[in-house]
Amino acid sequence: MKSISILGVFVADLCFIGDKIPSKGQTILGKKHLVGPGGKGSNQAIAAARLNGDVSFITKVGKDSHSEMAFKLYKEAGVKTHSIIQDEKLFTGVAGIMIDKDGNNAISIVSGAAEELVNKDLDNHIETLKKSEIFLTQMEAPDEITIYALKKAREHKCLTILNPAPAREIDEDNFKLIDFFTPNETEAEFYLNKNIKTETDIKNAANDFLKKGIKNVIITLGEKGIYFANNKENFFLEAHNLKEPVIDTTGAGDAFNGAFAVGLANALEIKEALTYANKVAGISTTKLGAAASMPFASELENY
Ligand code: RIB
């Protein structure tokens, strides 16, 4: 199996579960409260490791109860932590997450220590990248190190996956650094500055991304599944049929990206890897929490 390195952020998710997500100026009575591990990069690392991926995580955390929670989780899942920088002068990040009765969410994240990641941190851990064949990242770490890491990953012949979440500006020149680009519909709308509603809109959006120099585009469509396109083929894949109700979609995108990386690491064909990732993402929505909802390889057999 090929090895995977992931650059990203760990935060403690403070989740509030209620009938609805409060609107501006409103106070509601919630139903449940949960503090658990989150952060997109970290969730993706957990997803990949629980599926038996060989995963190293690159990030920066503080030295506090939240980072303790992170290290405990990585130990249990088997994520390699030699490239996690711990700085006792900084605090580990947190996210506030509101979840409604249908599992929809609204998130505000403060990355804390991970906001201080700089290129030099990656240089100090370049061996991790050099030993990997697959590199996965998102847009939660500072832009500068994210783009620098994509460049270094290419230099060291890694396949690059960018999950552009949360959607933030990317210089046009940098799209060519991406082998697999995995926006959801809203993120795709942000990058192309246009509405994406119909199947034709989705196909056109994927073509627009290919024209920017991205090699493969995967637009995730929530309960509608995904659309894939590269210069040779394109297809829609339906969402996986779930046995249990959706209770929390937080981290579903992370489950998808982590699992897709494992699919590639196991040398699956693209369509197979996407089907696998779809299934993992679907299962994650039937459980509460972000990292906590990532399924183990053994659970997949029952689906
Ligand atoms: O993708 C879900 C994640 O986004 C949450 O865990 C939250 O921490 C934010 O980073």
Side-chain angles (χ1 to χ4, degrees):
M1 179 198 272
K2 295 176 179 161
S3 61
I4 303 165
S5 57
I6 300 180
L7 167 73
V9 170
F10 167 85
V11 294
D13 283 349
L14 314 183
C15 307
F16 300 87
I17 301 125
D19 283 339
K20 58 173 278 186
I21 295 169
S23 43
K24 195 166 155 187
Q26 189 184 28
T27 303
I28 62 160
L29 293 178
K31 295 243 159 84
K32 255 194 237 173
H33 175 234
L34 184 89
V35 179
K40 293 182 193 302
S42 177
N43 296 339
Q44 294 174 11
I46 295 298
R50 285 189 178 173
L51 299 169
N52 303 325
D54 175 4
V55 187
S56 297
F57 188 42
I58 308 167
T59 194
K60 195 177 273 187
V61 293
K63 199 161 192 205
D64 44 34
S65 58
H66 290 156
S67 60
E68 260 173 44
M69 168 163 74
F71 283 111
K72 184 167 177 276
L73 181 79
Y74 300 144
K75 195 168 178 200
E76 282 162 9
V79 172
K80 293 181 179 162
T81 56
H82 53 274
S83 293
I84 301 184
I85 304 155
Q86 207 172 14
D87 186 333
E88 57 190 27
K89 296 186 290 308
L90 302 172
F91 72 94
T92 308
V94 284
I97 307 188
M98 303 286 169
I99 301 164
D100 72 11
K101 64 175 172 21
D102 300 315
N104 302 306
N105 62 48
I107 305 180
S108 175
I109 163 169
V110 179
S111 302
E115 260 171 65
E116 308 294 325
L117 278 163
V118 290
N119 295 356
K120 184 86 176 50
D121 293 325
L122 188 80
D123 289 339
N124 291 341
H125 293 272
I126 204 68
E127 285 305 312
T128 303
L129 210 62
K130 277 190 188 167
K131 286 183 189 142
S132 308
E133 280 115 325
I134 293 161
F135 173 72
L136 166 61
T137 193
Q138 327 69 33
M139 298 296 288
E140 276 185 348
D143 291 353
E144 202 184 330
I145 188 170
T146 303
I147 298 301
Y148 183 66
L150 284 167
K151 287 183 180 153
K152 286 285 163 191
R154 264 288 170 84
E155 208 175 294
H156 295 295
K157 313 267 180 290
C158 293
L159 263 184
T160 60
I161 309 171
L162 177 64
N163 172 220
R168 296 196 291 131
E169 290 300 332
I170 297 176
D171 274 356
E172 284 299 315
D173 280 356
N174 292 327
F175 283 107
K176 62 177 185 307
L177 300 170
I178 308 166
D179 290 312
F180 291 91
F181 190 60
T182 62
N184 63 21
E185 276 163 300
T186 320
E187 287 147 5
E189 285 182 339
F190 171 88
Y191 286 105
L192 298 172
N193 197 19
K194 64 180 186 185
N195 288 331
I196 301 173
K197 299 277 170 259
T198 64
E199 279 197 5
T200 312
D201 292 343
I202 294 166
K203 288 181 179 174
N204 290 339
N207 280 334
D208 292 344
F209 284 126
L210 293 176
K211 282 187 209 138
K212 288 178 184 287
I214 295 169
K215 293 228 173 89
N216 301 275
V217 179
I218 300 157
I219 303 181
T220 57
L221 308 166
E223 72 276 15
K224 294 190 278 346
I226 60 154
Y227 178 71
F228 172 82
N230 64 15
N231 285 330
K232 289 192 207 112
E233 56 175 343
N234 59 75
F235 51 83
F236 281 93
L237 271 186
E238 283 185 8
H240 191 75
N241 236 337
L242 296 171
K243 287 181 182 170
E244 285 150 40
V246 172
I247 58 166
D248 181 8
T249 58
T250 315
D254 302 329
F256 180 88
N257 281 278
F260 181 64
V262 171
L264 294 180
N266 284 327
L268 298 185
E269 294 292 327
I270 290 179
K271 201 171 199 166
E272 270 181 292
L274 291 171
T275 306
Y276 177 69
N278 234 350
K279 183 170 171 176
V280 172
I283 297 171
S284 78
T285 65
T286 64
K287 302 185 207 180
L288 205 54
S293 70
M294 301 304 164
F296 291 85
S298 55
E299 286 173 64
L300 263 60
E301 287 154 22
N302 298 328
Y303 275 80

